[in-house]
Structure formats: structure tokens, C-alpha cells
Amino acid sequence: AMAHIQVSRIIEAPRTKVFEILADPSNLHDLLRGEIYVELASAPDQLTAGSEIRVAMTRFGMKQLVRLKVDDHLHSKRLMYHQVEGFFKSWSHIMKFEDHGEGYTLVTDLVDYTLPFGILGNLSDDLFVKSDMTRILRSRLERVDEFL
């Protein structure tokens, strides 16, 4: 079954700036620090639809090569990508950026994923993964402040 997560945060910075922080693959290491250890293997200088990002992610002592493909890139408005190879059976992430009053940005993360069958198959594991991912996404949005 597919799971859905939505988190959002209002950030005190212009939309363009917030987009540039969250859409830059080289910031993943610091945005996810303490949760997931990220080593960027390859990413283009400029993301566009069709771009591929390759990262090694280590979590709970397990290292996995993750390949992500950008589906849609609308500068300072929206970024969509999905996992081609990685931890999840499927994973797609939409980031939306909206003006929220003078000098503020509302960022919304929408994530849909399915877990690999049999590894984390039962309900308690599903609930654990969902709360864990929600916490990581929230923490990532909090960390944006460190880049401002």
C-alpha cells in the first residue's frame, strides 16, 4: 500500500533563496545530518527535468546507493523527483514553494512511497517508517535556517 506524508513550514526568507537551498543536492549532507549520512556521488550543476542524482545514503548502519530522477523543475516554485533505485519500492517527492507575506516562504513537502514487500511488511513497521520519515522531513525544513 502506498503511504503519503505531507509536511510544511513557513521560512523567513524569499522563495528564490529557500528553493536554492532545498533544491541543491550538495546541501543534502547538511540538511539530513544526524539522520541519514549522505555522500553525493553525482549531480548536474543545474537540475532540469530528466536530471539524475546519485547519492550513497547510510542509515542504521546500512549503506545504499540511491538514484533519483527529476520529473519537474520550475525554479523557485516546484521540484518533483522520484527514486529510480534505493531503499523504497517506490518514492516520489514534490516540493512546493509559495510566497507567504513579505519575505516569507511556505514550503510544502508531499511524499508518496511504498515499502519493499517483506522487509517492513507489518503495520507497526509501516507506522514506524511513516513517523520516522515525517520527523526527518520536518528536521530538514528546520535546518534551512542554518543556510540563511
Side-chain angles (χ1 to χ4, degrees):
M2 184 166 284
H4 309 278
I5 299 172
Q6 179 171 338
V7 300
S8 55
R9 180 173 179 235
I10 295 163
I11 296 170
E12 192 177 352
R15 200 157 40 93
T16 308
K17 176 77 177 155
V18 176
F19 181 90
E20 283 168 359
I21 293 165
L22 286 168
D24 182 347
S26 66
N27 290 336
L28 279 170
H29 176 85
D30 289 326
L31 287 167
L32 298 177
R33 152 184 110 247
E35 303 287 353
I36 301 170
Y37 182 69
V38 178
E39 300 160 275
L40 185 61
S42 67
D45 291 335
Q46 287 296 122
L47 292 184
T48 54
S51 292
E52 195 167 285
I53 300 155
R54 293 160 60 89
V55 290
M57 291 187 164
T58 305
R59 186 96 210 275
F60 305 130
M62 290 184 295
K63 186 171 180 171
Q64 169 90 43
L65 180 70
V66 178
R67 284 170 53 218
L68 307 168
K69 191 161 199 170
V70 176
D71 300 303
D72 187 23
H73 182 282
L74 191 58
H75 196 282
S76 76
K77 295 215 170 130
R78 189 173 64 239
L79 177 66
M80 296 171 58
Y81 70 90
H82 71 277
Q83 174 199 278
V84 178
E85 178 187 342
F87 289 107
F88 292 87
K89 186 176 174 189
S90 71
W91 167 279
S92 68
H93 184 182
I94 302 172
M95 296 177 221
K96 293 196 299 190
F97 302 81
E98 298 165 274
D99 291 325
H100 196 83
E102 192 67 36
Y104 288 84
T105 303
L106 171 63
V107 182
T108 306
D109 285 308
L110 300 157
V111 170
D112 291 322
Y113 66 88
T114 45
L115 294 170
F117 179 73
I119 297 176
L120 294 165
N122 68 48
L123 189 62
S124 62
D125 287 331
D126 288 352
L127 293 172
F128 165 75
V129 171
K130 189 167 191 173
S131 63
D132 186 53
M133 286 295 120
T134 302
R135 190 179 52 74
I136 291 171
L137 286 162
R138 285 208 177 108
S139 150
R140 169 181 146 278
L141 291 181
E142 297 287 333
R143 288 255 168 90
V144 170
D145 294 356
E146 297 172 17
F147 291 81
L148 297 170

